[in-house]
Amino acid sequence: MGSIYGDWLKEQREAAGMTQQELADAAIMTRSHISHIEAGRRVPSKEDARRLDQALNTGNVLSSFLPQDDTPVADYFEAARQLEQQATVIREFGLTLVPGILQTERYIRAVLDTAVPLWSEDECDRIVRTRLERAKILLNPVAPVVWALLDEAVLRREVGGPEVMSEQIVHMANLAEARRVRVHVLPNTLGAHPLQQSMLTLMWFDDQPPVAYTEALHTAKLHDSPSWVERLRAAYDCALSDALPLKESLALLRTTAKDYGHHG
């Protein structure tokens, strides 16, 4: 996500002699939301942009020049990564891979080994460090509240070999048994479901609107629009209602990890 939009907003706010809090009050937003937009970490929804234009008397400039959807994947991910560290509630959906904050180091490296073109050793090390650093949010025993909804394909697709898979699944089972992460599995017998087209992360915060992050092959999007976030949340809730209960999901994790262990 570029910072040109955020820089221009900051210039207009300062030219109007307004603090971030004053602009937030005038636009019916939170100060932290204004701060994230100015820093280039978030893009306002169309309704937010309309209220900002009104508060700053900038016509429809902020509404007309909202960043387009050709923002690089890396920029979307960086914005989502920063928001992940601030979230009070995170709901993950893994379609074919374990969600990033739940991945073990060997699983991460096995995933990176499939990249085309291949990552360099230095790039791999950097990505591994970043992903493991992200996972440190789970060291806090209470916050954020994390739910992980997994397609059963995540457990069945062998990434890195039986030993890596066993270790990865045991890691998730341990987090679930410790009540740090709530894990539910969508069984293969379910067939089609509302989330089968991409991975999804939903995030809620104390002081700003919720967001959703979706990612597929070479594409990603950070969704800020309230209507889109609600639409994606509804799809998540619908899929979750068809998933195995926590106790049955945990039993499946343990059984699957044991099966991989026998073949290792």
Side-chain angles (χ1 to χ4, degrees), residues 95-120:
L95 177 61
T96 58
L97 296 172
V98 172
I101 59 173
L102 302 180
Q103 292 179 2
T104 63
E105 180 173 348
R106 292 202 296 173
Y107 185 93
I108 297 169
R109 292 190 181 280
V111 172
L112 295 177
D113 281 346
T114 67
V116 178
L118 290 173
W119 297 102
S120 70

mmCIF file of all heavy atoms in Angstrom, residues 95-120:
data_model
loop_
_atom_site.group_PDB
_atom_site.id
_atom_site.type_symbol
_atom_site.label_atom_id
_atom_site.label_comp_id
_atom_site.label_asym_id
_atom_site.label_seq_id
_atom_site.Cartn_x
_atom_site.Cartn_y
_atom_site.Cartn_z
ATOM 1 N N LEU A 95 -7.041 -22.794 3.577
ATOM 2 C CA LEU A 95 -7.646 -23.588 2.503
ATOM 3 C C LEU A 95 -6.783 -24.790 2.134
ATOM 4 O O LEU A 95 -7.275 -25.921 2.069
ATOM 5 C CB LEU A 95 -7.858 -22.714 1.271
ATOM 6 C CG LEU A 95 -8.422 -23.412 0.027
ATOM 7 C CD1 LEU A 95 -9.804 -23.992 0.318
ATOM 8 C CD2 LEU A 95 -8.501 -22.428 -1.145
ATOM 9 N N THR A 96 -5.498 -24.558 1.896
ATOM 10 C CA THR A 96 -4.589 -25.658 1.541
ATOM 11 C C THR A 96 -3.345 -25.687 2.424
ATOM 12 O O THR A 96 -2.622 -26.676 2.431
ATOM 13 C CB THR A 96 -4.137 -25.554 0.072
ATOM 14 O OG1 THR A 96 -3.490 -24.289 -0.125
ATOM 15 C CG2 THR A 96 -5.313 -25.674 -0.880
ATOM 16 N N LEU A 97 -3.095 -24.591 3.145
ATOM 17 C CA LEU A 97 -1.921 -24.497 4.002
ATOM 18 C C LEU A 97 -2.321 -24.051 5.404
ATOM 19 O O LEU A 97 -3.347 -23.390 5.593
ATOM 20 C CB LEU A 97 -0.910 -23.497 3.429
ATOM 21 C CG LEU A 97 -0.277 -23.847 2.075
ATOM 22 C CD1 LEU A 97 0.549 -22.667 1.577
ATOM 23 C CD2 LEU A 97 0.582 -25.100 2.178
ATOM 24 N N VAL A 98 -1.492 -24.374 6.365
ATOM 25 C CA VAL A 98 -1.687 -23.909 7.736
ATOM 26 C C VAL A 98 -1.528 -22.387 7.761
ATOM 27 O O VAL A 98 -0.596 -21.849 7.148
ATOM 28 C CB VAL A 98 -0.643 -24.557 8.665
ATOM 29 C CG1 VAL A 98 -0.693 -23.941 10.064
ATOM 30 C CG2 VAL A 98 -0.847 -26.070 8.733
ATOM 31 N N PRO A 99 -2.416 -21.646 8.434
ATOM 32 C CA PRO A 99 -2.261 -20.191 8.532
ATOM 33 C C PRO A 99 -0.900 -19.809 9.111
ATOM 34 O O PRO A 99 -0.342 -20.507 9.974
ATOM 35 C CB PRO A 99 -3.399 -19.794 9.480
ATOM 36 C CG PRO A 99 -4.448 -20.837 9.261
ATOM 37 C CD PRO A 99 -3.667 -22.110 9.066
ATOM 38 N N GLY A 100 -0.360 -18.688 8.637
ATOM 39 C CA GLY A 100 1.007 -18.285 8.943
ATOM 40 C C GLY A 100 1.390 -18.272 10.406
ATOM 41 O O GLY A 100 2.462 -18.755 10.783
ATOM 42 N N ILE A 101 0.539 -17.707 11.268
ATOM 43 C CA ILE A 101 0.919 -17.576 12.678
ATOM 44 C C ILE A 101 0.936 -18.920 13.409
ATOM 45 O O ILE A 101 1.404 -19.005 14.545
ATOM 46 C CB ILE A 101 0.003 -16.594 13.437
ATOM 47 C CG1 ILE A 101 -1.461 -17.041 13.389
ATOM 48 C CG2 ILE A 101 0.183 -15.187 12.923
ATOM 49 C CD1 ILE A 101 -2.371 -16.189 14.261
ATOM 50 N N LEU A 102 0.439 -19.987 12.764
ATOM 51 C CA LEU A 102 0.430 -21.316 13.378
ATOM 52 C C LEU A 102 1.508 -22.230 12.812
ATOM 53 O O LEU A 102 1.645 -23.376 13.239
ATOM 54 C CB LEU A 102 -0.947 -21.969 13.182
ATOM 55 C CG LEU A 102 -2.152 -21.215 13.724
ATOM 56 C CD1 LEU A 102 -3.434 -22.001 13.450
ATOM 57 C CD2 LEU A 102 -2.007 -20.950 15.213
ATOM 58 N N GLN A 103 2.283 -21.736 11.861
ATOM 59 C CA GLN A 103 3.254 -22.587 11.183
ATOM 60 C C GLN A 103 4.528 -22.795 12.001
ATOM 61 O O GLN A 103 5.025 -21.867 12.649
ATOM 62 C CB GLN A 103 3.624 -21.988 9.821
ATOM 63 C CG GLN A 103 2.487 -21.997 8.815
ATOM 64 C CD GLN A 103 2.884 -21.370 7.495
ATOM 65 O OE1 GLN A 103 4.027 -20.955 7.294
ATOM 66 N NE2 GLN A 103 1.931 -21.287 6.570
ATOM 67 N N THR A 104 5.070 -24.014 11.942
ATOM 68 C CA THR A 104 6.370 -24.315 12.543
ATOM 69 C C THR A 104 7.476 -23.944 11.557
ATOM 70 O O THR A 104 7.232 -23.781 10.355
ATOM 71 C CB THR A 104 6.486 -25.808 12.880
ATOM 72 O OG1 THR A 104 6.405 -26.566 11.663
ATOM 73 C CG2 THR A 104 5.378 -26.254 13.826
ATOM 74 N N GLU A 105 8.707 -23.841 12.067
ATOM 75 C CA GLU A 105 9.797 -23.414 11.196
ATOM 76 C C GLU A 105 10.012 -24.378 10.034
ATOM 77 O O GLU A 105 10.187 -23.962 8.888
ATOM 78 C CB GLU A 105 11.100 -23.275 11.991
ATOM 79 C CG GLU A 105 12.266 -22.836 11.122
ATOM 80 C CD GLU A 105 13.535 -22.524 11.890
ATOM 81 O OE1 GLU A 105 13.465 -22.434 13.132
ATOM 82 O OE2 GLU A 105 14.592 -22.359 11.242
ATOM 83 N N ARG A 106 10.004 -25.676 10.308
ATOM 84 C CA ARG A 106 10.263 -26.636 9.220
ATOM 85 C C ARG A 106 9.125 -26.635 8.201
ATOM 86 O O ARG A 106 9.364 -26.835 7.005
ATOM 87 C CB ARG A 106 10.488 -28.037 9.792
ATOM 88 C CG ARG A 106 11.785 -28.148 10.583
ATOM 89 C CD ARG A 106 12.260 -29.582 10.673
ATOM 90 N NE ARG A 106 11.331 -30.434 11.416
ATOM 91 C CZ ARG A 106 11.453 -31.750 11.521
ATOM 92 N NH1 ARG A 106 12.449 -32.385 10.921
ATOM 93 N NH2 ARG A 106 10.596 -32.452 12.233
ATOM 94 N N TYR A 107 7.903 -26.410 8.665
ATOM 95 C CA TYR A 107 6.769 -26.331 7.734
ATOM 96 C C TYR A 107 6.922 -25.089 6.847
ATOM 97 O O TYR A 107 6.704 -25.147 5.638
ATOM 98 C CB TYR A 107 5.461 -26.280 8.526
ATOM 99 C CG TYR A 107 4.209 -26.324 7.680
ATOM 100 C CD1 TYR A 107 3.581 -27.535 7.391
ATOM 101 C CD2 TYR A 107 3.629 -25.156 7.189
ATOM 102 C CE1 TYR A 107 2.421 -27.582 6.637
ATOM 103 C CE2 TYR A 107 2.467 -25.190 6.424
ATOM 104 C CZ TYR A 107 1.867 -26.407 6.159
ATOM 105 O OH TYR A 107 0.719 -26.444 5.400
ATOM 106 N N ILE A 108 7.311 -23.973 7.445
ATOM 107 C CA ILE A 108 7.515 -22.739 6.673
ATOM 108 C C ILE A 108 8.543 -22.977 5.568
ATOM 109 O O ILE A 108 8.335 -22.613 4.403
ATOM 110 C CB ILE A 108 7.997 -21.590 7.583
ATOM 111 C CG1 ILE A 108 6.940 -21.238 8.631
ATOM 112 C CG2 ILE A 108 8.325 -20.344 6.746
ATOM 113 C CD1 ILE A 108 7.451 -20.303 9.723
ATOM 114 N N ARG A 109 9.665 -23.581 5.936
ATOM 115 C CA ARG A 109 10.725 -23.806 4.946
ATOM 116 C C ARG A 109 10.269 -24.754 3.842
ATOM 117 O O ARG A 109 10.629 -24.584 2.667
ATOM 118 C CB ARG A 109 11.980 -24.336 5.632
ATOM 119 C CG ARG A 109 12.641 -23.298 6.534
ATOM 120 C CD ARG A 109 13.998 -23.737 7.027
ATOM 121 N NE ARG A 109 14.599 -22.744 7.915
ATOM 122 C CZ ARG A 109 15.227 -21.644 7.493
ATOM 123 N NH1 ARG A 109 15.370 -21.421 6.190
ATOM 124 N NH2 ARG A 109 15.735 -20.790 8.361
ATOM 125 N N ALA A 110 9.455 -25.742 4.199
ATOM 126 C CA ALA A 110 8.943 -26.673 3.188
ATOM 127 C C ALA A 110 8.018 -25.946 2.209
ATOM 128 O O ALA A 110 8.045 -26.220 1.002
ATOM 129 C CB ALA A 110 8.204 -27.824 3.866
ATOM 130 N N VAL A 111 7.216 -25.028 2.712
ATOM 131 C CA VAL A 111 6.339 -24.236 1.844
ATOM 132 C C VAL A 111 7.176 -23.351 0.929
ATOM 133 O O VAL A 111 6.918 -23.258 -0.285
ATOM 134 C CB VAL A 111 5.367 -23.381 2.680
ATOM 135 C CG1 VAL A 111 4.603 -22.409 1.781
ATOM 136 C CG2 VAL A 111 4.378 -24.262 3.438
ATOM 137 N N LEU A 112 8.195 -22.705 1.475
ATOM 138 C CA LEU A 112 9.049 -21.813 0.684
ATOM 139 C C LEU A 112 9.804 -22.570 -0.405
ATOM 140 O O LEU A 112 10.112 -22.009 -1.454
ATOM 141 C CB LEU A 112 10.033 -21.083 1.596
ATOM 142 C CG LEU A 112 9.418 -20.107 2.609
ATOM 143 C CD1 LEU A 112 10.507 -19.515 3.494
ATOM 144 C CD2 LEU A 112 8.652 -18.998 1.904
ATOM 145 N N ASP A 113 10.087 -23.834 -0.167
ATOM 146 C CA ASP A 113 10.799 -24.642 -1.164
ATOM 147 C C ASP A 113 9.983 -24.870 -2.435
ATOM 148 O O ASP A 113 10.531 -25.308 -3.461
ATOM 149 C CB ASP A 113 11.172 -26.008 -0.569
ATOM 150 C CG ASP A 113 12.400 -25.932 0.317
ATOM 151 O OD1 ASP A 113 13.115 -24.913 0.257
ATOM 152 O OD2 ASP A 113 12.640 -26.894 1.089
ATOM 153 N N THR A 114 8.681 -24.598 -2.381
ATOM 154 C CA THR A 114 7.826 -24.808 -3.553
ATOM 155 C C THR A 114 7.679 -23.545 -4.406
ATOM 156 O O THR A 114 7.010 -23.575 -5.435
ATOM 157 C CB THR A 114 6.420 -25.273 -3.131
ATOM 158 O OG1 THR A 114 5.741 -24.205 -2.428
ATOM 159 C CG2 THR A 114 6.500 -26.493 -2.224
ATOM 160 N N ALA A 115 8.284 -22.440 -3.967
ATOM 161 C CA ALA A 115 8.114 -21.169 -4.672
ATOM 162 C C ALA A 115 8.711 -21.216 -6.065
ATOM 163 O O ALA A 115 9.726 -21.875 -6.312
ATOM 164 C CB ALA A 115 8.760 -20.038 -3.875
ATOM 165 N N VAL A 116 8.047 -20.522 -6.998
ATOM 166 C CA VAL A 116 8.547 -20.380 -8.369
ATOM 167 C C VAL A 116 8.504 -18.900 -8.729
ATOM 168 O O VAL A 116 7.428 -18.300 -8.761
ATOM 169 C CB VAL A 116 7.686 -21.187 -9.375
ATOM 170 C CG1 VAL A 116 8.208 -20.988 -10.797
ATOM 171 C CG2 VAL A 116 7.659 -22.666 -9.004
ATOM 172 N N PRO A 117 9.677 -18.258 -9.004
ATOM 173 C CA PRO A 117 11.028 -18.822 -8.906
ATOM 174 C C PRO A 117 11.421 -19.045 -7.452
ATOM 175 O O PRO A 117 10.799 -18.501 -6.547
ATOM 176 C CB PRO A 117 11.897 -17.745 -9.562
ATOM 177 C CG PRO A 117 11.144 -16.475 -9.319
ATOM 178 C CD PRO A 117 9.693 -16.840 -9.424
ATOM 179 N N LEU A 118 12.466 -19.831 -7.239
ATOM 180 C CA LEU A 118 12.895 -20.168 -5.892
ATOM 181 C C LEU A 118 13.411 -18.941 -5.141
ATOM 182 O O LEU A 118 14.016 -18.041 -5.716
ATOM 183 C CB LEU A 118 14.005 -21.228 -5.948
ATOM 184 C CG LEU A 118 13.586 -22.635 -6.396
ATOM 185 C CD1 LEU A 118 14.828 -23.506 -6.559
ATOM 186 C CD2 LEU A 118 12.632 -23.253 -5.380
ATOM 187 N N TRP A 119 13.148 -18.916 -3.836
ATOM 188 C CA TRP A 119 13.711 -17.871 -2.988
ATOM 189 C C TRP A 119 15.197 -18.168 -2.761
ATOM 190 O O TRP A 119 15.612 -19.321 -2.702
ATOM 191 C CB TRP A 119 13.013 -17.844 -1.625
ATOM 192 C CG TRP A 119 11.565 -17.506 -1.659
ATOM 193 C CD1 TRP A 119 10.516 -18.365 -1.563
ATOM 194 C CD2 TRP A 119 10.990 -16.198 -1.773
ATOM 195 N NE1 TRP A 119 9.314 -17.690 -1.613
ATOM 196 C CE2 TRP A 119 9.582 -16.351 -1.744
ATOM 197 C CE3 TRP A 119 11.520 -14.904 -1.895
ATOM 198 C CZ2 TRP A 119 8.701 -15.278 -1.834
ATOM 199 C CZ3 TRP A 119 10.645 -13.832 -1.975
ATOM 200 C CH2 TRP A 119 9.261 -14.018 -1.958
ATOM 201 N N SER A 120 15.988 -17.126 -2.572
ATOM 202 C CA SER A 120 17.374 -17.326 -2.177
ATOM 203 C C SER A 120 17.406 -17.750 -0.711
ATOM 204 O O SER A 120 16.421 -17.607 0.023
ATOM 205 C CB SER A 120 18.175 -16.038 -2.359
ATOM 206 O OG SER A 120 17.759 -15.065 -1.393
#
